[in-house]
């Protein structure tokens, strides 16, 4: 394997994600993960009933099965790529691109902006990408929802899977140094993360049986997203061209995001809010009631079209910054372990 190949694969996957996103006509690995979660959930609930202890145990086993199978599937595709490159490498790049949602997120959020001031159309497009109730939102609240989903999902959909992809590429580069230990690569770790994220999105609720059934998946997703979220908060000032604000904005993001029930979502939104100068947070209505989200970047302006575009542009620049820093480091790491 060429020392530069893992880095090149990550670059190609990022480019493909930006070019195509997730076409609706193409099957997606997350769909398979969702089918597996749905089937296993039925089996666990049939066995556990309403018993919290059984639901927790069943949720743990479900999480181990789905995340483990997803990681192994990615690992297997990596093995195919190394053994039969003409077939395996294109499939591997497609698989890696499927773990990234930067292109799809940008298109979906901008579709909402394009729809305004047609409120019914904007609400319909917004409903596809947010969990809150949107049927009566005025334009100002539509813009806030678009800004918040752009800021939060930048980590969930792009930077967290990209982080694990880069970590897997680094592990792969260590292979020559550890010849007796087969190591998973970028797709194994990226798909493992996507499985945990899908579990959290499907089962990570605090009502009914899911209070116990979804605990393991939600905790694993929190754990796997913790470091990427803070790396985003640390590096966003560089992407914004304000390196002198690195520590103040990082402290502000951690402070503003702390009251959020999620250890990561509030920090992610707060980091983008401070970098874009946009005030986020407020009352959101969901199917199970109204939740008051903490105010983020209180000194910023209310979200408008320009503010939402700034958040999206910051995500684009930050992805480029991560790649500019990480890809040469990966290539250097691989060259360091290459046979002399």
């Amino acid at each position: 394997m060429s020392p530069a190949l893992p880095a090149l694969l990550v670059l190609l996957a990022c480019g493909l994600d930006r070019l195509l996103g997730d076409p609706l006509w193409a099957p997606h690995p997350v769909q398979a993960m969702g089918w597996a979660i749905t089937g296993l959930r039925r089996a666990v609930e049939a066995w556990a009933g309403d018993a919290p202890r059984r639901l927790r145990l069943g949720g743990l086993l479900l999480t181990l099965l789905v995340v483990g199978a997803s990681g192994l599937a990615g690992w297997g595709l990596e093995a195919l790529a190394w053994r039969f490159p003409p077939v395996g490498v294109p499939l591997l790049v497609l698989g890696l691109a499927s773990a990234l949602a930067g292109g799809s997120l940008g298109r979906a959020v901008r579709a909402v902006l394009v729809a305004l001031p047609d409120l019914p159309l904007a609400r319909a497009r917004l409903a596809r990408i947010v969990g809150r109730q949107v049927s009566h939102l005025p334009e100002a609240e539509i813009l806030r929802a678009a800004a918040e989903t752009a800021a939060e999902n930048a980590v969930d959909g792009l930077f967290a899977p990209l982080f694990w992809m880069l970590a897997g590429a680094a592990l792969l580069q260590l292979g020559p140094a550890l010849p007796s230990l087969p190591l998973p690569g970028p797709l194994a770790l990226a798909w493992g993360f996507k499985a945990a994220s899908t579990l959290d999105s499907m089962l990570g609720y605090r009502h009914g049986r899911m209070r116990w059934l979804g605990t393991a998946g939600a905790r694993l997703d929190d754990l796997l997203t913790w470091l990427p979220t803070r790396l985003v908060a640390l590096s966003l000032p560089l992407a914004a061209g304000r390196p002198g604000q690195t520590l103040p904005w990082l402290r502000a993001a951690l402070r503003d995001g702390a009251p959020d029930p999620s250890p990561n979502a509030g920090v992610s939104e707060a980091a983008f809010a401070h970098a874009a100068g946009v005030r986020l947070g407020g009352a959101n209505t969901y199917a199970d009631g109204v939740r008051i989200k903490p105010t983020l970047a209180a000194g910023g302006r209310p979200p408008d079209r320009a503010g939402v575009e700034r958040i999206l542009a910051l995500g684009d620049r930050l992805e480029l910054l991560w790649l500019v820093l990480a890809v040469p480091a990966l290539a250097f790491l691989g060259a360091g372990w290459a046979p002399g």
Side-chain angles (χ1 to χ4, degrees), residues 1 6 75 78 163-178 181-186 188-189 330 333 337:
M1 179 179 65
W75 205 350
E78 289 165 2
F163 170 84
W164 289 109
M165 194 179 296
L166 292 168
L171 277 179
L172 207 60
Q173 299 289 37
L174 293 176
L178 302 168
L181 183 62
L183 296 172
L189 269 59
L330 284 173
L333 179 64
W337 292 119

PDB file of all heavy atoms in Angstrom, residues 1 6 75 78 163-178 181-186 188-189 330 333 337:
ATOM      1  N   MET A   1       0.839  -1.190   0.000  1.00  0.00           N
ATOM      2  CA  MET A   1       0.000   0.000   0.000  1.00  0.00           C
ATOM      3  C   MET A   1       0.880   1.247   0.000  1.00  0.00           C
ATOM      4  O   MET A   1       1.814   1.348   0.778  1.00  0.00           O
ATOM      5  CB  MET A   1      -0.906   0.014   1.232  1.00  0.00           C
ATOM      6  CG  MET A   1      -1.817   1.237   1.329  1.00  0.00           C
ATOM      7  SD  MET A   1      -2.886   1.185   2.768  1.00  0.00           S
ATOM      8  CE  MET A   1      -1.718   1.272   4.101  1.00  0.00           C
ATOM      9  N   PRO A   6      -4.019   6.257   2.209  1.00  0.00           N
ATOM     10  CA  PRO A   6      -5.109   6.626   3.134  1.00  0.00           C
ATOM     11  C   PRO A   6      -5.469   8.106   3.082  1.00  0.00           C
ATOM     12  O   PRO A   6      -6.649   8.465   3.100  1.00  0.00           O
ATOM     13  CB  PRO A   6      -4.553   6.221   4.503  1.00  0.00           C
ATOM     14  CG  PRO A   6      -3.578   5.138   4.201  1.00  0.00           C
ATOM     15  CD  PRO A   6      -2.948   5.538   2.909  1.00  0.00           C
ATOM     16  N   TRP A  75     -14.424  -2.585   7.843  1.00  0.00           N
ATOM     17  CA  TRP A  75     -13.132  -3.256   7.873  1.00  0.00           C
ATOM     18  C   TRP A  75     -13.018  -4.252   6.722  1.00  0.00           C
ATOM     19  O   TRP A  75     -11.987  -4.370   6.065  1.00  0.00           O
ATOM     20  CB  TRP A  75     -12.963  -3.958   9.214  1.00  0.00           C
ATOM     21  CG  TRP A  75     -11.549  -4.191   9.639  1.00  0.00           C
ATOM     22  CD1 TRP A  75     -10.423  -4.023   8.891  1.00  0.00           C
ATOM     23  CD2 TRP A  75     -11.113  -4.633  10.927  1.00  0.00           C
ATOM     24  NE1 TRP A  75      -9.306  -4.341   9.625  1.00  0.00           N
ATOM     25  CE2 TRP A  75      -9.695  -4.716  10.886  1.00  0.00           C
ATOM     26  CE3 TRP A  75     -11.763  -4.956  12.112  1.00  0.00           C
ATOM     27  CZ2 TRP A  75      -8.935  -5.136  11.977  1.00  0.00           C
ATOM     28  CZ3 TRP A  75     -11.009  -5.373  13.204  1.00  0.00           C
ATOM     29  CH2 TRP A  75      -9.619  -5.456  13.141  1.00  0.00           C
ATOM     30  N   GLU A  78     -12.424  -2.453   3.533  1.00  0.00           N
ATOM     31  CA  GLU A  78     -11.021  -2.040   3.474  1.00  0.00           C
ATOM     32  C   GLU A  78     -10.137  -3.200   3.015  1.00  0.00           C
ATOM     33  O   GLU A  78      -9.245  -3.020   2.165  1.00  0.00           O
ATOM     34  CB  GLU A  78     -10.570  -1.549   4.855  1.00  0.00           C
ATOM     35  CG  GLU A  78     -11.176  -0.214   5.265  1.00  0.00           C
ATOM     36  CD  GLU A  78     -11.008   0.082   6.739  1.00  0.00           C
ATOM     37  OE1 GLU A  78     -10.392  -0.732   7.457  1.00  0.00           O
ATOM     38  OE2 GLU A  78     -11.499   1.128   7.186  1.00  0.00           O
ATOM     39  N   PHE A 163     -13.305  13.161  11.794  1.00  0.00           N
ATOM     40  CA  PHE A 163     -12.288  12.909  12.819  1.00  0.00           C
ATOM     41  C   PHE A 163     -11.983  11.423  12.928  1.00  0.00           C
ATOM     42  O   PHE A 163     -10.804  11.016  12.935  1.00  0.00           O
ATOM     43  CB  PHE A 163     -12.769  13.446  14.170  1.00  0.00           C
ATOM     44  CG  PHE A 163     -11.902  13.027  15.327  1.00  0.00           C
ATOM     45  CD1 PHE A 163     -10.762  13.736  15.646  1.00  0.00           C
ATOM     46  CD2 PHE A 163     -12.220  11.901  16.092  1.00  0.00           C
ATOM     47  CE1 PHE A 163      -9.950  13.339  16.707  1.00  0.00           C
ATOM     48  CE2 PHE A 163     -11.411  11.498  17.146  1.00  0.00           C
ATOM     49  CZ  PHE A 163     -10.276  12.226  17.456  1.00  0.00           C
ATOM     50  N   TRP A 164     -13.026  10.587  13.008  1.00  0.00           N
ATOM     51  CA  TRP A 164     -12.789   9.148  13.152  1.00  0.00           C
ATOM     52  C   TRP A 164     -12.221   8.552  11.871  1.00  0.00           C
ATOM     53  O   TRP A 164     -11.454   7.588  11.904  1.00  0.00           O
ATOM     54  CB  TRP A 164     -14.075   8.452  13.598  1.00  0.00           C
ATOM     55  CG  TRP A 164     -14.385   8.805  15.019  1.00  0.00           C
ATOM     56  CD1 TRP A 164     -15.393   9.599  15.487  1.00  0.00           C
ATOM     57  CD2 TRP A 164     -13.621   8.415  16.163  1.00  0.00           C
ATOM     58  NE1 TRP A 164     -15.323   9.740  16.843  1.00  0.00           N
ATOM     59  CE2 TRP A 164     -14.235   9.018  17.295  1.00  0.00           C
ATOM     60  CE3 TRP A 164     -12.488   7.630  16.349  1.00  0.00           C
ATOM     61  CZ2 TRP A 164     -13.745   8.834  18.585  1.00  0.00           C
ATOM     62  CZ3 TRP A 164     -11.999   7.456  17.634  1.00  0.00           C
ATOM     63  CH2 TRP A 164     -12.628   8.048  18.732  1.00  0.00           C
ATOM     64  N   MET A 165     -12.569   9.129  10.742  1.00  0.00           N
ATOM     65  CA  MET A 165     -11.984   8.692   9.477  1.00  0.00           C
ATOM     66  C   MET A 165     -10.479   8.964   9.468  1.00  0.00           C
ATOM     67  O   MET A 165      -9.669   8.100   9.089  1.00  0.00           O
ATOM     68  CB  MET A 165     -12.677   9.435   8.332  1.00  0.00           C
ATOM     69  CG  MET A 165     -12.447   8.878   6.950  1.00  0.00           C
ATOM     70  SD  MET A 165     -13.366   9.854   5.728  1.00  0.00           S
ATOM     71  CE  MET A 165     -15.061   9.538   6.235  1.00  0.00           C
ATOM     72  N   LEU A 166     -10.095  10.148   9.895  1.00  0.00           N
ATOM     73  CA  LEU A 166      -8.678  10.496   9.950  1.00  0.00           C
ATOM     74  C   LEU A 166      -7.949   9.648  10.992  1.00  0.00           C
ATOM     75  O   LEU A 166      -6.798   9.234  10.780  1.00  0.00           O
ATOM     76  CB  LEU A 166      -8.519  11.981  10.269  1.00  0.00           C
ATOM     77  CG  LEU A 166      -8.994  12.947   9.173  1.00  0.00           C
ATOM     78  CD1 LEU A 166      -9.054  14.370   9.703  1.00  0.00           C
ATOM     79  CD2 LEU A 166      -8.085  12.870   7.951  1.00  0.00           C
ATOM     80  N   ALA A 167      -8.627   9.378  12.125  1.00  0.00           N
ATOM     81  CA  ALA A 167      -8.020   8.509  13.131  1.00  0.00           C
ATOM     82  C   ALA A 167      -7.799   7.107  12.572  1.00  0.00           C
ATOM     83  O   ALA A 167      -6.765   6.474  12.824  1.00  0.00           O
ATOM     84  CB  ALA A 167      -8.905   8.459  14.380  1.00  0.00           C
ATOM     85  N   GLY A 168      -8.768   6.597  11.805  1.00  0.00           N
ATOM     86  CA  GLY A 168      -8.610   5.285  11.184  1.00  0.00           C
ATOM     87  C   GLY A 168      -7.499   5.272  10.161  1.00  0.00           C
ATOM     88  O   GLY A 168      -6.751   4.289  10.048  1.00  0.00           O
ATOM     89  N   ALA A 169      -7.366   6.360   9.400  1.00  0.00           N
ATOM     90  CA  ALA A 169      -6.273   6.451   8.433  1.00  0.00           C
ATOM     91  C   ALA A 169      -4.923   6.444   9.150  1.00  0.00           C
ATOM     92  O   ALA A 169      -3.963   5.827   8.684  1.00  0.00           O
ATOM     93  CB  ALA A 169      -6.426   7.710   7.586  1.00  0.00           C
ATOM     94  N   ALA A 170      -4.848   7.125  10.299  1.00  0.00           N
ATOM     95  CA  ALA A 170      -3.610   7.121  11.078  1.00  0.00           C
ATOM     96  C   ALA A 170      -3.303   5.723  11.607  1.00  0.00           C
ATOM     97  O   ALA A 170      -2.139   5.284  11.587  1.00  0.00           O
ATOM     98  CB  ALA A 170      -3.722   8.120  12.232  1.00  0.00           C
ATOM     99  N   LEU A 171      -4.320   5.014  12.086  1.00  0.00           N
ATOM    100  CA  LEU A 171      -4.109   3.635  12.538  1.00  0.00           C
ATOM    101  C   LEU A 171      -3.580   2.766  11.411  1.00  0.00           C
ATOM    102  O   LEU A 171      -2.688   1.928  11.613  1.00  0.00           O
ATOM    103  CB  LEU A 171      -5.428   3.049  13.065  1.00  0.00           C
ATOM    104  CG  LEU A 171      -5.826   3.363  14.496  1.00  0.00           C
ATOM    105  CD1 LEU A 171      -7.165   2.724  14.821  1.00  0.00           C
ATOM    106  CD2 LEU A 171      -4.762   2.896  15.480  1.00  0.00           C
ATOM    107  N   LEU A 172      -4.147   2.970  10.230  1.00  0.00           N
ATOM    108  CA  LEU A 172      -3.719   2.183   9.078  1.00  0.00           C
ATOM    109  C   LEU A 172      -2.249   2.423   8.767  1.00  0.00           C
ATOM    110  O   LEU A 172      -1.532   1.504   8.359  1.00  0.00           O
ATOM    111  CB  LEU A 172      -4.581   2.553   7.874  1.00  0.00           C
ATOM    112  CG  LEU A 172      -4.775   1.503   6.781  1.00  0.00           C
ATOM    113  CD1 LEU A 172      -5.428   0.258   7.337  1.00  0.00           C
ATOM    114  CD2 LEU A 172      -5.619   2.088   5.666  1.00  0.00           C
ATOM    115  N   GLN A 173      -1.805   3.640   8.964  1.00  0.00           N
ATOM    116  CA  GLN A 173      -0.406   3.957   8.704  1.00  0.00           C
ATOM    117  C   GLN A 173       0.525   3.280   9.707  1.00  0.00           C
ATOM    118  O   GLN A 173       1.721   3.131   9.457  1.00  0.00           O
ATOM    119  CB  GLN A 173      -0.180   5.474   8.754  1.00  0.00           C
ATOM    120  CG  GLN A 173      -0.978   6.269   7.737  1.00  0.00           C
ATOM    121  CD  GLN A 173      -0.486   6.061   6.312  1.00  0.00           C
ATOM    122  OE1 GLN A 173      -0.086   4.974   5.924  1.00  0.00           O
ATOM    123  NE2 GLN A 173      -0.500   7.130   5.526  1.00  0.00           N
ATOM    124  N   LEU A 174      -0.016   2.879  10.874  1.00  0.00           N
ATOM    125  CA  LEU A 174       0.808   2.205  11.870  1.00  0.00           C
ATOM    126  C   LEU A 174       0.967   0.723  11.571  1.00  0.00           C
ATOM    127  O   LEU A 174       1.730   0.045  12.250  1.00  0.00           O
ATOM    128  CB  LEU A 174       0.178   2.367  13.265  1.00  0.00           C
ATOM    129  CG  LEU A 174       0.155   3.786  13.834  1.00  0.00           C
ATOM    130  CD1 LEU A 174      -0.590   3.801  15.157  1.00  0.00           C
ATOM    131  CD2 LEU A 174       1.567   4.321  14.008  1.00  0.00           C
ATOM    132  N   GLY A 175       0.256   0.224  10.562  1.00  0.00           N
ATOM    133  CA  GLY A 175       0.302  -1.197  10.243  1.00  0.00           C
ATOM    134  C   GLY A 175       1.706  -1.751  10.066  1.00  0.00           C
ATOM    135  O   GLY A 175       2.048  -2.783  10.660  1.00  0.00           O
ATOM    136  N   PRO A 176       2.581  -1.111   9.246  1.00  0.00           N
ATOM    137  CA  PRO A 176       3.938  -1.645   9.087  1.00  0.00           C
ATOM    138  C   PRO A 176       4.726  -1.701  10.378  1.00  0.00           C
ATOM    139  O   PRO A 176       5.644  -2.502  10.520  1.00  0.00           O
ATOM    140  CB  PRO A 176       4.577  -0.662   8.096  1.00  0.00           C
ATOM    141  CG  PRO A 176       3.422  -0.079   7.349  1.00  0.00           C
ATOM    142  CD  PRO A 176       2.311   0.011   8.343  1.00  0.00           C
ATOM    143  N   ALA A 177       4.407  -0.825  11.339  1.00  0.00           N
ATOM    144  CA  ALA A 177       5.116  -0.845  12.613  1.00  0.00           C
ATOM    145  C   ALA A 177       4.588  -1.935  13.541  1.00  0.00           C
ATOM    146  O   ALA A 177       5.265  -2.340  14.485  1.00  0.00           O
ATOM    147  CB  ALA A 177       4.992   0.510  13.296  1.00  0.00           C
ATOM    148  N   LEU A 178       3.364  -2.393  13.286  1.00  0.00           N
ATOM    149  CA  LEU A 178       2.739  -3.419  14.126  1.00  0.00           C
ATOM    150  C   LEU A 178       2.251  -4.551  13.228  1.00  0.00           C
ATOM    151  O   LEU A 178       1.045  -4.787  13.103  1.00  0.00           O
ATOM    152  CB  LEU A 178       1.562  -2.807  14.909  1.00  0.00           C
ATOM    153  CG  LEU A 178       1.911  -1.607  15.809  1.00  0.00           C
ATOM    154  CD1 LEU A 178       0.638  -0.924  16.280  1.00  0.00           C
ATOM    155  CD2 LEU A 178       2.744  -2.062  16.994  1.00  0.00           C
ATOM    156  N   LEU A 181      -0.468  -7.106  14.309  1.00  0.00           N
ATOM    157  CA  LEU A 181      -1.743  -6.610  14.826  1.00  0.00           C
ATOM    158  C   LEU A 181      -2.536  -5.948  13.703  1.00  0.00           C
ATOM    159  O   LEU A 181      -2.267  -4.803  13.334  1.00  0.00           O
ATOM    160  CB  LEU A 181      -1.493  -5.587  15.946  1.00  0.00           C
ATOM    161  CG  LEU A 181      -2.732  -5.014  16.649  1.00  0.00           C
ATOM    162  CD1 LEU A 181      -3.504  -6.121  17.350  1.00  0.00           C
ATOM    163  CD2 LEU A 181      -2.317  -3.936  17.653  1.00  0.00           C
ATOM    164  N   PRO A 182      -3.522  -6.655  13.128  1.00  0.00           N
ATOM    165  CA  PRO A 182      -4.334  -6.021  12.083  1.00  0.00           C
ATOM    166  C   PRO A 182      -5.186  -4.901  12.678  1.00  0.00           C
ATOM    167  O   PRO A 182      -5.857  -5.087  13.691  1.00  0.00           O
ATOM    168  CB  PRO A 182      -5.208  -7.173  11.577  1.00  0.00           C
ATOM    169  CG  PRO A 182      -5.261  -8.150  12.707  1.00  0.00           C
ATOM    170  CD  PRO A 182      -3.945  -8.031  13.426  1.00  0.00           C
ATOM    171  N   LEU A 183      -5.125  -3.752  12.073  1.00  0.00           N
ATOM    172  CA  LEU A 183      -5.803  -2.576  12.622  1.00  0.00           C
ATOM    173  C   LEU A 183      -6.935  -2.126  11.709  1.00  0.00           C
ATOM    174  O   LEU A 183      -6.812  -2.190  10.490  1.00  0.00           O
ATOM    175  CB  LEU A 183      -4.794  -1.429  12.777  1.00  0.00           C
ATOM    176  CG  LEU A 183      -3.655  -1.677  13.767  1.00  0.00           C
ATOM    177  CD1 LEU A 183      -2.636  -0.548  13.687  1.00  0.00           C
ATOM    178  CD2 LEU A 183      -4.185  -1.801  15.182  1.00  0.00           C
ATOM    179  N   PRO A 184      -8.051  -1.664  12.290  1.00  0.00           N
ATOM    180  CA  PRO A 184      -9.123  -1.096  11.470  1.00  0.00           C
ATOM    181  C   PRO A 184      -8.665   0.214  10.855  1.00  0.00           C
ATOM    182  O   PRO A 184      -7.771   0.888  11.376  1.00  0.00           O
ATOM    183  CB  PRO A 184     -10.260  -0.881  12.470  1.00  0.00           C
ATOM    184  CG  PRO A 184      -9.552  -0.705  13.785  1.00  0.00           C
ATOM    185  CD  PRO A 184      -8.343  -1.589  13.728  1.00  0.00           C
ATOM    186  N   GLY A 185      -9.292   0.578   9.752  1.00  0.00           N
ATOM    187  CA  GLY A 185      -8.917   1.794   9.049  1.00  0.00           C
ATOM    188  C   GLY A 185     -10.013   2.833   9.062  1.00  0.00           C
ATOM    189  O   GLY A 185     -10.925   2.795   9.913  1.00  0.00           O
ATOM    190  N   PRO A 186      -9.984   3.768   8.120  1.00  0.00           N
ATOM    191  CA  PRO A 186     -10.901   4.918   8.149  1.00  0.00           C
ATOM    192  C   PRO A 186     -12.366   4.544   8.016  1.00  0.00           C
ATOM    193  O   PRO A 186     -13.220   5.140   8.683  1.00  0.00           O
ATOM    194  CB  PRO A 186     -10.426   5.776   6.971  1.00  0.00           C
ATOM    195  CG  PRO A 186      -9.644   4.851   6.101  1.00  0.00           C
ATOM    196  CD  PRO A 186      -9.023   3.847   7.013  1.00  0.00           C
ATOM    197  N   ALA A 188     -13.841   1.586   8.777  1.00  0.00           N
ATOM    198  CA  ALA A 188     -14.289   0.847   9.958  1.00  0.00           C
ATOM    199  C   ALA A 188     -14.665   1.803  11.081  1.00  0.00           C
ATOM    200  O   ALA A 188     -15.731   1.683  11.702  1.00  0.00           O
ATOM    201  CB  ALA A 188     -13.196  -0.118  10.412  1.00  0.00           C
ATOM    202  N   LEU A 189     -13.817   2.797  11.346  1.00  0.00           N
ATOM    203  CA  LEU A 189     -14.107   3.736  12.426  1.00  0.00           C
ATOM    204  C   LEU A 189     -15.225   4.702  12.056  1.00  0.00           C
ATOM    205  O   LEU A 189     -16.070   5.036  12.899  1.00  0.00           O
ATOM    206  CB  LEU A 189     -12.838   4.507  12.800  1.00  0.00           C
ATOM    207  CG  LEU A 189     -11.991   3.878  13.918  1.00  0.00           C
ATOM    208  CD1 LEU A 189     -11.527   2.486  13.554  1.00  0.00           C
ATOM    209  CD2 LEU A 189     -10.800   4.772  14.271  1.00  0.00           C
ATOM    210  N   LEU A 330      -0.737  12.732   7.697  1.00  0.00           N
ATOM    211  CA  LEU A 330      -0.954  11.307   7.433  1.00  0.00           C
ATOM    212  C   LEU A 330       0.048  10.778   6.422  1.00  0.00           C
ATOM    213  O   LEU A 330       0.604   9.686   6.586  1.00  0.00           O
ATOM    214  CB  LEU A 330      -2.377  11.090   6.913  1.00  0.00           C
ATOM    215  CG  LEU A 330      -3.512  11.156   7.926  1.00  0.00           C
ATOM    216  CD1 LEU A 330      -4.853  11.088   7.212  1.00  0.00           C
ATOM    217  CD2 LEU A 330      -3.394  10.028   8.930  1.00  0.00           C
ATOM    218  N   LEU A 333       3.343  10.425   8.130  1.00  0.00           N
ATOM    219  CA  LEU A 333       3.331   9.267   9.030  1.00  0.00           C
ATOM    220  C   LEU A 333       3.512   7.982   8.245  1.00  0.00           C
ATOM    221  O   LEU A 333       4.293   7.101   8.630  1.00  0.00           O
ATOM    222  CB  LEU A 333       2.014   9.232   9.813  1.00  0.00           C
ATOM    223  CG  LEU A 333       1.823   8.074  10.797  1.00  0.00           C
ATOM    224  CD1 LEU A 333       2.862   8.141  11.911  1.00  0.00           C
ATOM    225  CD2 LEU A 333       0.415   8.111  11.384  1.00  0.00           C
ATOM    226  N   TRP A 337       6.828   5.096   8.172  1.00  0.00           N
ATOM    227  CA  TRP A 337       6.782   3.652   8.439  1.00  0.00           C
ATOM    228  C   TRP A 337       7.041   2.829   7.183  1.00  0.00           C
ATOM    229  O   TRP A 337       7.054   1.612   7.230  1.00  0.00           O
ATOM    230  CB  TRP A 337       5.431   3.256   9.007  1.00  0.00           C
ATOM    231  CG  TRP A 337       5.175   3.788  10.385  1.00  0.00           C
ATOM    232  CD1 TRP A 337       4.168   4.625  10.760  1.00  0.00           C
ATOM    233  CD2 TRP A 337       5.928   3.520  11.566  1.00  0.00           C
ATOM    234  NE1 TRP A 337       4.245   4.906  12.093  1.00  0.00           N
ATOM    235  CE2 TRP A 337       5.318   4.234  12.629  1.00  0.00           C
ATOM    236  CE3 TRP A 337       7.068   2.754  11.829  1.00  0.00           C
ATOM    237  CZ2 TRP A 337       5.799   4.192  13.914  1.00  0.00           C
ATOM    238  CZ3 TRP A 337       7.543   2.728  13.139  1.00  0.00           C
ATOM    239  CH2 TRP A 337       6.914   3.442  14.158  1.00  0.00           C
TER     240      TRP A 337
END
